Each structure stands twice: as C-alpha cells, then as structure tokens.
Amino acid sequence: MWGSRGAPSDVEATKILEKAEDSTLKLVNIDENKKNGVVPALCLKIAQSPLFTTIVMVVVLANTIFTATIKHTHNESTDRRNRHIYHRVETLFTIFFDLETLFKMFSLGFKNYIRRSIFKFEFMLAVGTTIHCIPLFYRSAFTYFQVLRVARLLKSSPLLEDFLNK
C-alpha cells in the first residue's frame, strides 16, 4: 500500500505500443517484428496482412459449412461412400490449416508464435485434426477438434467474441 507504484527495475518490458498502418495503436511483443533476412520479412508481412486473414477465415467458413452437411442415411453402402468422400475433403482442409500453422510459425518464429493464446489454440487444432484424419482415429473423440474450428470464426468478430466473454 505504501510502496512505490512504478514497475520494478529488474522486470523487463515485453510489449510496446506501435502505430499500425491504419493509424491505430497496437500492443505487440518487442521481438515480434524482428526480421531475419528478406524471406521472413516478406512472410511476416503476408502473415499479418488482412488479405491472408480473410482468405483463412473464408476457408474456415467453407469448412464449417461442409462439416454441417454431414448426414447419415442409414444405408450402409451410401454411408460408407459418403464417409470416404468426407474423409478426403476433411483431409484437404486439414492440410490447408496445417500449412497455415507452419507458415505462421516460420514467419513469426516459434517463440513468438507460441506466445499468443489464439496461436496456441490454432496449433492445438492443427495437431488434433491431423490425428483425426488418420483412418484409425477418424470419427473418434478427435472429431471434437474438427468441430472446434468453428471457434476460429468467433474470434474473428469482436462482437461475437465479446458476447462469448460475457
């Protein structure tokens, strides 16, 4: 109560306010924008671009719509054929999201990537859905990871995110 209100001198700051392109302030990690060479600098710019985020969100939406179309006909041969088709398409979506995760890791560096909770969530989804696509684990408890991809859409809308937090 009677002590100093300032930060201790031995504590190192890990975040700074930075002016973004649209003249808003953004809180970023100090070493988040370190660039090691030309390729990572370009990749970082791509990974942080609104176009990249929009493309990923459109694919998440497409995956959500596709997942919602799964149905069972109670006809064994039709269900087997549908399961095979859904497995192939789901594997393609998983490959896309795995490549997205690897690209972000490469762009930001693993240390910066794993610091953010949303990226931890994306990494968990990538690993879980990759395991889900292994034929032995398809339509098992790992299906929850496939369904949790919808939560990425919720994170893209501040209004929905506020609603979830409340």
Side-chain angles (χ1 to χ4, degrees), residues 31-45:
D31 56 349
E32 182 175 292
N33 292 325
K34 282 186 183 173
K35 297 161 181 76
N36 299 325
V38 177
V39 175
L42 179 65
C43 291
L44 181 64
K45 189 170 181 123

Side-chain angles (χ1 to χ4, degrees), residues 32-149:
E32 182 175 292
N33 292 325
K34 282 186 183 173
K35 297 161 181 76
N36 299 325
V38 177
V39 175
L42 179 65
C43 291
L44 181 64
K45 189 170 181 123
I46 292 170
Q48 292 177 339
S49 73
L51 180 64
F52 180 78
T53 304
T54 302
I55 290 169
V56 170
M57 286 301 128
V58 167
V59 174
V60 171
L61 180 62
N63 180 235
T64 302
I65 292 168
F66 178 78
T67 302
T69 65
I70 294 175
K71 64 179 179 177
H72 299 284
T73 61
H74 301 289
N75 181 340
E76 192 174 321
S77 63
T78 305
D79 284 345
R80 192 177 313 117
R81 188 184 75 235
N82 286 346
R83 180 180 167 142
H84 181 70
I85 292 168
Y86 279 100
H87 182 260
R88 282 192 175 195
V89 174
E90 187 60 38
T91 301
L92 290 175
F93 278 118
T94 299
I95 290 169
F96 176 83
F97 292 122
D98 287 350
L99 290 175
E100 176 216 358
T101 300
L102 291 173
F103 180 72
K104 285 181 179 177
M105 278 185 195
F106 174 74
S107 300
L108 296 170
F110 184 75
K111 187 174 154 187
N112 287 326
Y113 178 84
I114 211 70
R115 277 185 185 164
R116 291 188 178 171
S117 60
I118 185 67
F119 291 155
K120 287 177 188 173
F121 179 68
E122 288 176 10
F123 181 71
M124 177 195 67
L125 287 179
V127 171
T129 54
T130 301
I131 294 170
H132 172 255
C133 284
I134 298 170
L136 178 66
F137 298 111
Y138 191 65
R139 300 261 172 102
S140 67
F142 285 99
T143 303
Y144 289 115
F145 290 103
Q146 175 189 356
V147 174
L148 280 173
R149 280 188 187 153

Side-chain angles (χ1 to χ4, degrees), residues 4-48:
S4 171
R5 292 189 184 260
S9 61
D10 62 336
V11 175
E12 187 177 326
T14 59
K15 297 186 183 247
I16 58 170
L17 280 175
E18 187 177 273
K19 193 171 188 176
E21 292 174 10
D22 59 351
S23 71
T24 59
L25 293 176
K26 183 172 133 180
L27 190 63
V28 296
N29 292 327
I30 288 175
D31 56 349
E32 182 175 292
N33 292 325
K34 282 186 183 173
K35 297 161 181 76
N36 299 325
V38 177
V39 175
L42 179 65
C43 291
L44 181 64
K45 189 170 181 123
I46 292 170
Q48 292 177 339

